[in-house]
Amino acid sequence: MKLLSTLKQEIKEVGLVTLYFFLCFLVMLTLKKLLLADYHIEVHALSTAVVSALIVAKLVIILDKTPAGNRFDASHPLGIAALYKTLVYMLITFIVLFMEKLFHAYREVGIFGQSVIYVWEHKDRNIMLAKVIVIGLMFLGYHLYAGLDRCLGKGRLRRLVTESPNITGKED
């Protein structure tokens, strides 16, 4: 029974984080689709948003359990801890995006050193940096929300956001 309870809790945790990142990626990719429509460039927003959300959510949950992910949680103000995490996760995002471009460039060029130069000079580093900034804003929103939820008591912030307020002032 404990295994089922733990599994249920993990699915809920991963599901909520994935939902948050799915909505963020969906907004970002919908804007991209709208901007590129004038140039008749097709963008598949839904499938990209789903895959991106699943990957990022799982990475965030894993990183949050590492020393790099929770280094300042107990010893610094929430804003500093969220900013630190956001910068670390943005750096990791940049590395992952760069490695993805490098993989494709290496297949074209065949030499690692030339592939690195090729990626930086020819693979739209401005778009890559724009993605890092937008994803960084997603991370900042997530870390602030998660930090506030942790400070208020696990699940309390979500209840405050999703449930109707008790306007009578009486406790249930």
Side-chain angles (χ1 to χ4, degrees), residues 6 13 16 43 84 92 131 158:
T6 304
E13 180 182 6
L16 289 173
V43 176
Y84 164 76
I92 293 168
K131 286 179 182 179
R158 181 179 42 81

Side-chain angles (χ1 to χ4, degrees), residues 4-104:
L4 184 61
S5 175
T6 304
L7 185 61
K8 219 168 144 179
Q9 180 61 31
E10 284 293 316
I11 289 172
K12 183 178 178 182
E13 180 182 6
V14 172
L16 289 173
V17 175
T18 303
L19 179 63
Y20 168 76
F21 283 109
F22 171 71
L23 294 174
C24 289
F25 279 113
L26 192 60
V27 168
M28 180 180 88
L29 292 167
T30 300
L31 290 173
K32 181 178 180 178
K33 186 174 187 142
L34 292 171
L35 292 170
L36 294 175
D38 287 344
Y39 301 100
H40 306 289
I41 298 173
E42 186 67 28
V43 176
H44 302 286
L46 187 61
S47 59
T48 305
V50 169
V51 172
S52 299
L54 288 168
I55 292 168
V56 170
K58 192 59 184 169
L59 284 172
V60 164
I61 290 169
I62 290 169
L63 287 172
D64 280 349
K65 296 180 188 314
T66 66
N70 58 31
R71 168 171 283 160
F72 295 128
D73 284 352
S75 61
H76 287 75
L78 172 64
I80 300 296
L83 184 61
Y84 164 76
K85 285 181 183 185
T86 298
L87 292 174
V88 169
Y89 291 23
M90 283 175 69
L91 176 64
I92 293 168
T93 300
F94 175 78
I95 291 168
V96 168
L97 290 173
F98 190 82
M99 295 299 286
E100 177 191 7
K101 301 284 186 192
L102 185 61
F103 173 77
H104 295 295

